[in-house]
Amino acid sequence: MTRTSRGGRDAVRRIRGECPCEHPLVLEAEFPRIPFRLVPPMKIRFVLAALALGASGTALAQATFTPIPNASGVAGSNQNGCWVSGGTGYSTARVSADGSTVALTIYRGGATSGVVERDFAVWTPSGGTQVIGSPIGQGAAFGYGVTGISADGAFVCGTEWVWRRIGGFQSLESTLNPWGFALLFGCNDAGTVVGGFRPSNAAIPYPGDVFRWQLAQGAPQYFPRDAQHPEGYFLFGCISGDGSVVGGATWAPSAQYYQTYAGALLTSSGVALITPESVGNSTLVNDLSFDGSVAVGQASLPGPLGGFGLVPFRWPAELALEVLPIPGSSGAASACDASGDTVVGTCLSFGTAGSSPFLWRANGGTVDLQSELTNNFGLGAALQGWTLLTASDISADGRVIVGTARNPLGCEQAFVVRLPLPAPASYCTAGTTSSGCNATLGWSGTPRASGAPGSFVLTCGGVEGQRQGLIFYGTQGRTALAWGASSSFLCVRPPTQRSATQSTQGTLGACNGTLTFDPLLFAQANPTALGLPLQAGTTLQFQGWFRDPPSPKSTLLSNALEVVFQP
């Protein structure tokens, strides 16, 4: 999955100078590191973006739920049940960072009394399900399937194979077999680097060595064992989008299998433990943000943070490990988006058969995915007769979720959910000018990356007349920094990009001035500017800036607007 950088870990930043578009940030303090933190069990309620309207009255796209078929159209079955696609464990569905492609295991039609035969496949909305290969070696014996997919879906890897859209299926069985029970557990966004694991000792099958393999080069690069892990590491199962960090778990010396191991990150500079290697502490990293600065997974922690079974966690680098609240008794975080601020996973509840998927967002909390899709995204009819069981992966922008469900016929089947992009959102507070004006930034049209100039325009009204001003934007998210001693706040996190200075027109001393900005026209004329070219999911924060000589800083700012661009 594609991952985007979270930026720095600074707590306080300030800007120097008058215009927010030209001056560097100064780091003033850093967050202290805290051992553990329990996230309050808040419940986010998404705005129903499918019905959100812009100033022009144009509705944004609807949420969709799509079951993924197998190649034959007939479920595979045996005495234990029936399956169409998806699966669990290493057979789980995975989605490309751009949300265009799902890689998964599909089951062949027909009934047998033994193992249901299966294939590896990719699915796209336009091309449907395409078989890319069949299980081989250990994959056939243990049912292992897809383990990674590139950002654009053109590269897929499994436990001992790779597939390229141009080049096809390639078995790595002969390469990996000399190492024993070796496997690939993921790839970077570019599809050029894979992560893998091999046992170090056949007599002690659990600890082993972790490698990172640039496929264009001849041999894997092994991470060195440190002094605390002379027998090797326990298991690693994910690699960051940029290929720099590997996540998994260490093996405590002389520990019992599945009893004592700690979540850990491996980089070229060494190993970083997320939790201590202590008795009863069993933690595993399942996914990483693009740059590896956020890890998510499952933990069985001693004390009040743990308790019975597993709990899902999120770990931002150098901050507290967060135990995520879930609508169940036990669970695990399966994957996160590019920033690590949106997490999906699966939970179980005492006294309730089966599992259920959850969705967690940093700005709101946790929801049961099926309830959220039914109640707040209008998918009740589409989900009629379906029971969602797992959520296994999520796209870079947090809008495309894949998992496994039980269909109306009682068979397990993979699904893909596409959430709509939110409407432009106003945030922050406009300053009051010396004439009592409050500049308000709004919009008209629909924000589409493929739109023509004029189809989406920002307008900042209520500005003092006959002043100079501009609209600027950033790509790094929201903030709220005091604008000197004035009543304004800088609400766009730097670095920022300014537009051309313009006159507000109107009447001097009156609040009838305006500023306008056409992002699509600007993008057309400035293709290498900050955050450009625009793409589906590009998120920008905009704010108006204008002169007000009598104010303490001689300039003031409007409210801010966050815009997510549709395709």
Side-chain angles (χ1 to χ4, degrees):
M1 291 173 286
T2 301
R3 307 295 188 205
T4 55
S5 173
R6 292 178 53 83
R9 297 295 171 188
D10 48 302
V12 181
R13 294 180 174 182
R14 64 182 173 87
I15 199 81
R16 293 187 298 188
E18 182 179 90
C19 177
C21 314
E22 301 174 324
H23 299 279
L25 294 172
V26 176
L27 179 63
E28 293 185 338
E30 292 185 352
F31 287 121
R33 186 167 183 177
I34 308 170
F36 298 105
R37 177 163 63 90
L38 183 64
V39 178
M42 298 181 295
K43 202 170 189 182
I44 182 173
R45 285 297 170 212
F46 296 115
V47 175
L48 182 51
L51 301 179
L53 302 180
S56 67
T58 303
L60 300 183
Q62 299 280 341
T64 61
F65 169 81
T66 306
I68 299 179
N70 59 13
S72 66
V74 179
S77 63
N78 61 20
Q79 68 274 21
N80 297 315
C82 61
W83 300 269
V84 177
S85 57
T88 58
Y90 276 97
S91 298
T92 192
R94 302 180 186 272
V95 66
S96 59
D98 63 7
S100 67
T101 308
V102 179
L104 73 167
T105 296
I106 61 172
Y107 297 87
R108 300 177 187 174
T112 70
S113 61
V115 174
V116 177
E117 294 183 340
R118 63 191 71 86
D119 295 298
F120 307 134
V122 293
W123 176 90
T124 61
S126 59
T129 302
Q130 172 193 357
V131 174
I132 60 174
S134 298
I136 52 176
Q138 294 166 1
F142 294 90
Y144 285 6
V146 173
T147 59
I149 184 171
S150 65
D152 60 359
F155 176 89
V156 178
C157 66
T159 48
E160 50 184 17
W161 54 268
V162 297
W163 172 85
R164 297 175 177 86
R165 187 172 294 155
I166 300 176
F169 188 88
Q170 177 187 0
S171 170
L172 299 178
E173 184 179 12
S174 61
T175 303
L176 297 175
N177 260 352
W179 299 340
F181 187 67
L183 55 86
L184 304 181
F185 53 66
C187 64
N188 68 343
D189 282 359
T192 57
V193 178
V194 294
F197 174 86
R198 71 168 185 180
S200 57
N201 187 335
I204 309 176
Y206 309 127
D209 295 307
V210 181
F211 62 84
R212 182 172 50 199
W213 187 359
Q214 292 187 1
L215 295 174
Q217 299 179 0
Q221 174 190 10
Y222 288 92
F223 289 94
R225 306 177 193 176
D226 58 22
Q228 286 71 42
H229 305 90
E231 297 178 339
Y233 301 104
F234 168 65
L235 184 65
F236 281 77
C238 57
I239 186 169
S240 61
D242 63 4
S244 65
V245 183
V246 171
T250 64
W251 173 270
S254 302
Q256 297 297 313
Y257 182 54
Y258 272 111
Q259 183 185 51
T260 304
Y261 58 92
L265 305 179
L266 276 176
T267 68
S268 57
S269 59
V271 60
L273 296 181
I274 292 177
T275 54
E277 291 177 326
S278 57
V279 175
N281 179 14
S282 300
T283 310
L284 178 65
V285 176
N286 289 329
D287 199 17
L288 298 164
S289 62
F290 174 80
D291 60 359
S293 63
V294 179
V296 300
Q298 61 201 54
S300 179
L301 302 172
L305 292 176
F308 180 83
L310 296 173
V311 294
F313 74 84
R314 174 179 178 271
W315 183 76
E318 305 303 327
L319 297 180
L321 183 144
E322 303 169 347
V323 176
L324 303 181
I326 53 174
S329 309
S330 183
S334 304
C336 63
D337 69 352
S339 65
D341 289 337
T342 303
V343 180
V344 294
T346 302
C347 60
L348 303 170
S349 296
F350 290 129
T352 302
S355 60
S356 61
F358 69 85
L359 171 67
W360 178 90
R361 289 181 182 266
N363 63 351
T366 307
V367 291
D368 175 84
L369 182 61
Q370 182 151 4
S371 297
E372 187 69 12
L373 297 175
T374 299
N375 299 330
N376 287 341
F377 285 95
L379 291 178
L383 289 169
Q384 186 69 35
W386 288 81
T387 302
L388 303 190
L389 301 175
T390 69
S392 55
D393 207 357
I394 188 168
S395 62
D397 62 5
R399 291 182 52 244
V400 181
I401 299 170
V402 296
T404 302
R406 183 172 295 109
N407 68 21
L409 297 177
C411 301
E412 291 191 14
Q413 185 168 359
F415 68 85
V416 56
V417 167
R418 295 183 183 274
L419 301 179
L421 292 168
S426 176
Y427 69 98
C428 217
T429 304
T432 302
T433 72
S434 55
S435 298
C437 304
N438 296 106
T440 303
L441 186 61
W443 83 95
S444 62
T446 302
R448 297 186 184 278
S450 59
S455 61
F456 177 70
V457 177
L458 303 178
T459 300
C460 189
V463 188
E464 287 214 10
Q466 298 300 313
R467 299 296 190 190
Q468 294 293 303
L470 56 85
I471 293 175
F472 63 96
Y473 70 87
T475 62
Q476 296 301 305
R478 306 181 184 189
T479 189
L481 302 178
W483 192 243
S486 74
S487 58
S488 283
F489 292 90
L490 174 63
C491 302
V492 177
R493 189 182 298 278
T496 58
Q497 173 71 56
R498 61 184 295 172
S499 63
T501 304
Q502 56 186 285
S503 171
T504 64
Q505 304 298 321
T507 304
L508 186 65
C511 302
N512 60 358
T514 59
L515 299 168
T516 61
F517 180 59
D518 185 336
L520 295 163
L521 180 62
F522 181 85
Q524 187 181 83
N526 304 275
T528 61
L530 180 68
L532 302 181
L534 295 173
Q535 300 177 4
T538 295
T539 302
L540 303 178
Q541 297 78 35
F542 296 89
Q543 193 169 17
W545 171 92
F546 53 91
R547 300 277 182 186
D548 183 34
S551 69
K553 197 173 172 64
S554 75
T555 61
L556 282 179
L557 301 168
S558 71
N559 65 310
L561 199 66
E562 185 169 75
V563 178
V564 183
F565 284 84
Q566 300 182 45

